[in-house]
Amino acid sequence: MFFIVLCHLLPKIGFGVLGTVFDVGVPMFLLLSGYLYGGRWGGGTNKWRFLAASWIKICIPMYLWLAAIVYMYCLDKDFSVLKSIPVFLLNLQGSNWVADFVNVPVISDMGILWFFTVIMLCYAMHPVMARLAVKVEKKLWFLLPLFVVVLAAGFVGIHLNYFYIYLLGFIAGRRSLEVMKGNQIFFIGFLAIVLQMVRIAARYFIDGSFLYQHVVVFIAHTGLAASLMLIIRYFVKKNQFYRFLKKHIGQVIYMDRLSVYVYIVHYSFLKGILATDKITGNAFVWIPTFLLMTFVTAMALKTLSESLIKKCNHFS
């Protein structure tokens, strides 16, 4: 999630090309989520209880921030945001990211939360993911026709690429992947860099085309996300790094959980109604202010949300 913040911040301060590299945050989260749940999902899993718990965990922080943002807009006498409330309450703000022909009113500050719609759809599709994973495990080539289906759907404005990436992680999570050796990790890292260079070069020639958006970006994003996941897994398994993580596990877990709340609030302080560059155009002032306000607000939202989530889970 911190990658997504960098993806939005870097172009604003003149590093647009570098921002495209950190645009890998969404596919990386999808891969990791699929990987984690793929290893846990089984026939005995209560899917309705899982979906209810996931909805509470994802939507309560969003609802709290929605209330704050709507209040700020109403103070500014902009009541047009009120029509977006039902969209966010139903977690439909990302529906147009899945299907181009869907048009829902979205508050600009919170448009980035489209991802919450996508990830909940991925969770709802776990039974389907499990069946597809079984087929792919028997016949790996089955991923190719699925990829063709994703491309064909994209051609008519339906974006299944998010679910394909999640499925890749889900399949990987069901298998006991060996920790790669150093030379293999080096090759994977090199390949990821090459993919990004191809993407950056392609952007100057075919930006905006179907080929760029649905093939080049998709392959480059997925390749980089998978590479980063394997590289992280490699270092986590290394003894020295593992000891460091174990020693600082409390801080690591806290920052990992905080990252979602940073993701929720950061855009309002970067480009929304609370944008810190409205105070001054001096980047040496507004950037530290942006970071401070984002993290302080995220910590407050995390504390309040987790308290409410615990109460909701207790009643459910």
Side-chain angles (χ1 to χ4, degrees), residues 29-30 32-59 116 118-130 166 170 309 313 316:
F29 189 90
L30 287 170
L32 285 170
S33 295
Y35 179 80
L36 292 172
Y37 284 115
R40 299 182 205 166
W41 190 262
T45 307
N46 187 321
K47 63 179 181 180
W48 298 114
R49 182 172 292 178
F50 166 75
L51 285 175
S54 299
W55 184 282
I56 290 169
K57 184 178 178 181
I58 287 173
C59 290
F116 285 178
V118 170
I119 198 66
M120 276 304 303
L121 286 172
C122 287
Y123 292 161
M125 292 173 66
H126 274 184
V128 177
M129 297 277 182
Y166 191 90
F170 198 88
I309 291 169
N313 288 334
S316 63

Side-chain angles (χ1 to χ4, degrees), residues 258 261-263 265 293-303:
L258 182 67
Y261 298 93
V262 169
Y263 166 69
V265 307
M293 294 301 296
T294 296
F295 276 88
V296 170
T297 306
M299 286 188 283
L301 182 61
K302 177 180 182 294
T303 301

Side-chain angles (χ1 to χ4, degrees), residues 235-269:
F235 281 107
V236 166
K237 295 293 182 180
K238 296 288 284 185
N239 288 335
Q240 289 182 337
F241 194 72
Y242 178 76
R243 285 197 294 268
F244 172 82
L245 284 178
K246 192 174 181 180
K247 184 178 178 181
H248 300 89
I249 191 65
Q251 296 93 317
V252 172
I253 291 174
Y254 181 83
M255 291 304 293
D256 176 57
R257 291 176 178 170
L258 182 67
S259 67
V260 176
Y261 298 93
V262 169
Y263 166 69
I264 290 172
V265 307
H266 82 277
Y267 205 78
S268 294
F269 293 108

Side-chain angles (χ1 to χ4, degrees), residues 101-166:
F101 52 82
V102 177
N103 185 21
V104 291
V106 175
I107 303 170
S108 59
D109 289 56
M110 300 181 65
I112 58 161
L113 302 188
W114 64 268
F115 178 69
F116 285 178
T117 304
V118 170
I119 198 66
M120 276 304 303
L121 286 172
C122 287
Y123 292 161
M125 292 173 66
H126 274 184
V128 177
M129 297 277 182
R131 293 191 190 96
L132 288 174
V134 170
K135 287 191 176 183
V136 172
E137 286 167 359
K138 292 178 180 177
K139 299 177 181 179
L140 191 60
W141 58 264
F142 191 66
L143 283 172
L144 184 58
L146 285 178
F147 180 66
V148 173
V149 170
V150 170
L151 289 182
F155 193 75
V156 295
I158 299 173
H159 307 290
L160 302 178
N161 50 312
Y162 311 115
F163 310 110
Y164 188 84
I165 295 171
Y166 191 90

Side-chain angles (χ1 to χ4, degrees), residues 11-307:
K12 191 174 173 70
I13 57 177
F15 295 96
V17 174
L18 192 56
T20 61
V21 175
F22 287 100
D23 200 19
V24 74
V26 167
M28 189 172 178
F29 189 90
L30 287 170
L31 266 179
L32 285 170
S33 295
Y35 179 80
L36 292 172
Y37 284 115
R40 299 182 205 166
W41 190 262
T45 307
N46 187 321
K47 63 179 181 180
W48 298 114
R49 182 172 292 178
F50 166 75
L51 285 175
S54 299
W55 184 282
I56 290 169
K57 184 178 178 181
I58 287 173
C59 290
I60 280 184
M62 180 174 68
Y63 294 159
L64 291 173
W65 190 239
L66 174 67
I69 292 301
V70 168
Y71 177 72
M72 294 298 297
Y73 271 99
C74 288
L75 282 181
D76 203 36
K77 300 191 184 325
D78 183 353
F79 301 104
S80 63
V81 295
L82 296 176
K83 63 185 178 182
S84 299
I85 292 176
V87 174
F88 284 93
L89 291 179
L90 296 173
N91 194 22
L92 295 175
Q93 67 282 352
S95 51
N96 61 319
W97 285 76
V98 179
D100 289 344
F101 52 82
V102 177
N103 185 21
V104 291
V106 175
I107 303 170
S108 59
D109 289 56
M110 300 181 65
I112 58 161
L113 302 188
W114 64 268
F115 178 69
F116 285 178
T117 304
V118 170
I119 198 66
M120 276 304 303
L121 286 172
C122 287
Y123 292 161
M125 292 173 66
H126 274 184
V128 177
M129 297 277 182
R131 293 191 190 96
L132 288 174
V134 170
K135 287 191 176 183
V136 172
E137 286 167 359
K138 292 178 180 177
K139 299 177 181 179
L140 191 60
W141 58 264
F142 191 66
L143 283 172
L144 184 58
L146 285 178
F147 180 66
V148 173
V149 170
V150 170
L151 289 182
F155 193 75
V156 295
I158 299 173
H159 307 290
L160 302 178
N161 50 312
Y162 311 115
F163 310 110
Y164 188 84
I165 295 171
Y166 191 90
L167 175 63
L168 293 177
F170 198 88
I171 293 167
R174 290 165 55 90
R175 303 169 67 91
S176 297
L177 298 179
E178 294 182 4
V179 179
M180 293 188 169
K181 297 178 181 178
N183 58 339
Q184 293 174 313
I185 288 297
F186 177 81
F187 174 76
I188 286 173
F190 175 75
L191 184 62
I193 292 170
V194 170
L195 285 172
Q196 292 311 302
M197 290 176 67
V198 169
R199 182 200 167 181
I200 291 169
R203 185 182 181 188
Y204 285 98
F205 298 101
I206 54 174
D207 189 18
S209 67
F210 179 86
L211 178 63
Y212 177 75
Q213 293 294 342
H214 293 270
V215 180
V216 176
V217 172
F218 176 57
I219 293 174
H221 269 172
T222 307
L224 181 57
S227 301
L228 288 171
M229 189 176 81
L230 291 171
I231 291 168
I232 290 169
R233 191 168 182 267
Y234 170 79
F235 281 107
V236 166
K237 295 293 182 180
K238 296 288 284 185
N239 288 335
Q240 289 182 337
F241 194 72
Y242 178 76
R243 285 197 294 268
F244 172 82
L245 284 178
K246 192 174 181 180
K247 184 178 178 181
H248 300 89
I249 191 65
Q251 296 93 317
V252 172
I253 291 174
Y254 181 83
M255 291 304 293
D256 176 57
R257 291 176 178 170
L258 182 67
S259 67
V260 176
Y261 298 93
V262 169
Y263 166 69
I264 290 172
V265 307
H266 82 277
Y267 205 78
S268 294
F269 293 108
L270 187 64
K271 294 184 178 181
I273 193 169
L274 301 172
T276 56
D277 65 347
K278 292 178 181 178
I279 302 170
T280 173
N282 188 331
F284 291 103
V285 177
W286 75 257
I287 293 177
T289 306
F290 157 72
L291 294 172
L292 177 65
M293 294 301 296
T294 296
F295 276 88
V296 170
T297 306
M299 286 188 283
L301 182 61
K302 177 180 182 294
T303 301
L304 182 56
S305 297
E306 288 181 349
S307 174

